[in-house]
Amino acid sequence: MVTLDKQAKDEISRAIARAEARTSGEIRVHLKRRCGADTLSQAIKDFEKLGMHRTKDHSGVLIFIALESHAFAILGDRGIHEKVGAAFWDETRDIMRDHFRNGRLKEGILAGVESAGRKLQAFFPRQASDRDELSNTVTED
Ligand code: CA
Ligand code: CA
């Protein structure tokens, strides 16, 4: 089965911490075995299950990946969505997809986290009062 070992997950956690040093957005990576045809609906469910809707400025961003379904989604909370819309993530999505198509799972996630952080920085710069509202640990279920 395709998955990531602990070392790869730790590497992604560190990339999230680096990205969050530049933006008030809270990025999280969640891995799932499979999802149904509607990837986005599943991502929304898991977004809530992970408590990601509870950040102060609704600045949570979920990178959701269903490994065996070969599907993924990038989902921003309403504070982000209101400002930038769904097309904001197209570039990040394309970067990730290119890696995934070539079998580079970890690299795709790392590039996605990096891209999301870079894009968020422009609209949601890190605030002086910023703290780590959501764990940077990669979750899996
Ligand atoms: Ca933060
Ligand atoms: Ca965080």
Side-chain angles (χ1 to χ4, degrees):
M1 191 196 82
V2 188
T3 189
L4 292 171
D5 59 20
K6 185 176 180 306
Q7 202 184 341
K9 287 181 187 168
D10 287 348
E11 205 178 318
I12 293 165
S13 295
R14 289 195 296 274
I16 293 172
R18 275 199 304 278
E20 289 185 2
R22 311 199 288 199
T23 176
S24 60
E26 285 285 331
I27 301 168
R28 190 151 204 181
V29 172
H30 183 64
L31 306 175
K32 213 170 186 70
R33 195 75 68 83
R34 319 194 158 80
C35 69
D38 193 346
T39 311
L40 192 57
S41 294
Q42 185 63 56
I44 291 168
K45 268 187 210 156
D46 286 3
F47 190 95
E48 292 197 3
K49 207 166 78 183
L50 291 163
M52 291 191 62
H53 54 297
R54 293 197 202 103
T55 59
K56 184 167 61 69
D57 297 321
H58 296 285
S59 60
V61 178
L62 174 63
I63 297 179
F64 169 93
I65 300 159
L67 298 167
E68 290 177 16
S69 303
H70 299 287
F72 71 101
I74 306 162
L75 180 66
D77 202 351
R78 63 168 194 263
I80 291 172
H81 196 76
E82 277 164 10
K83 266 199 185 172
V84 298
F88 181 70
W89 302 115
D90 286 357
E91 189 188 337
T92 302
R93 182 199 63 204
D94 292 347
I95 290 169
M96 293 180 71
R97 195 162 52 194
D98 281 348
H99 280 288
F100 293 162
R101 278 187 179 154
N102 290 291
R104 296 189 299 263
L105 178 61
K106 182 187 79 175
E107 289 77 7
I109 298 172
L110 287 171
V113 167
E114 207 275 328
S115 167
R118 193 159 21 82
K119 288 184 67 76
L120 283 165
Q121 181 177 24
F123 294 89
F124 306 92
R126 188 180 164 96
Q127 308 294 317
S129 60
D130 194 273
R131 56 187 192 85
D132 191 21
E133 292 182 274
L134 296 171
S135 166
N136 300 337
T137 306
V138 176
T139 48
E140 187 164 16
D141 70 10

